[in-house]
Amino acid sequence: ASERARRARTRAADQPRNSLGVFTAATGAVEVISRVRSFEFPSEAGHLLAYHLEPDSGAAATPAARPATAAQAAGQQPAPRRGTPGTTLVLRDLRSGQEVRIEEVTAFAMDDSARWLAYTVTSREADNDGAFLRNLSTGAVTTLLGGSGAYAALTFDRAGRQLEIG
């Protein structure tokens, strides 16, 4: 049905959305999480789940739909158009149910041992853009690259010791 809707070129808001199902073996319950763009389990730590949400259909998706800034209201020229802000990345510990939400994420990757989460941010505020590394055991975040930029794909080496930012 999803592929059929895309072929019919329906409006994006009317197309079916991807969902993620999380099965809990102890209870037999299935939780369905809507609007999931992608997800990842590290191969050596199956209790951690990271999933990246699609944009909220009610969110301002275009610069014209956003409120005017103070500079624009004063008649000044707007800043050059920036990329679309990222969306929410959710880290969930499936054992405890605890979640951490990271806003405006555009790309992410976990190393196989679940020691590190790398992610990039495209924010509504250019100063918040960057590439970041989160220690998954402590929650400490290190800025790898900061400021306005075009941060895209992330790849860990097999050992989880090196990260490539494309």
Side-chain angles (χ1 to χ4, degrees):
S2 177
E3 189 60 33
R4 209 172 319 134
R6 284 187 183 102
R7 280 192 212 130
R9 301 205 187 273
T10 58
R11 293 181 322 141
D14 295 335
Q15 290 184 4
R17 298 289 183 213
N18 292 325
S19 296
L20 173 66
V22 179
F23 173 73
T24 304
T27 64
V30 175
E31 176 187 4
V32 177
I33 303 164
S34 300
R35 301 182 310 103
V36 174
R37 175 180 287 174
S38 62
F39 68 94
E40 189 172 323
F41 280 103
S43 63
E44 298 173 21
H47 69 283
L48 290 177
L49 167 65
Y51 59 92
H52 194 195
L53 298 175
E54 292 179 351
D56 183 359
S57 59
T62 64
R66 294 187 194 135
T69 64
Q72 290 168 331
Q76 298 174 2
Q77 289 294 329
R81 185 169 176 242
R82 294 182 24 79
T84 302
T87 59
T88 303
L89 174 68
V90 181
L91 297 174
R92 182 186 289 187
D93 184 321
L94 296 174
R95 291 182 195 154
S96 68
Q98 289 184 318
E99 289 186 349
V100 173
R101 291 178 172 260
I102 304 169
E103 301 302 323
E104 299 182 312
V105 172
T106 51
F108 74 99
M110 275 193 281
D111 72 312
D112 287 340
S113 65
R115 289 178 302 190
W116 303 104
L117 170 76
Y119 60 95
T120 60
V121 169
T122 299
S123 176
R124 286 175 173 72
E125 301 295 325
D127 291 343
N128 295 336
D129 288 3
F132 304 91
L133 187 65
R134 181 183 185 97
N135 182 316
L136 291 172
S137 61
T138 67
V141 176
T142 302
T143 301
L144 301 174
L145 297 168
S148 183
Y151 307 104
L154 300 162
T155 307
F156 279 100
D157 70 351
R158 288 192 185 268
R161 293 188 186 134
Q162 294 183 28
L163 175 69
E164 180 180 322
I165 303 171

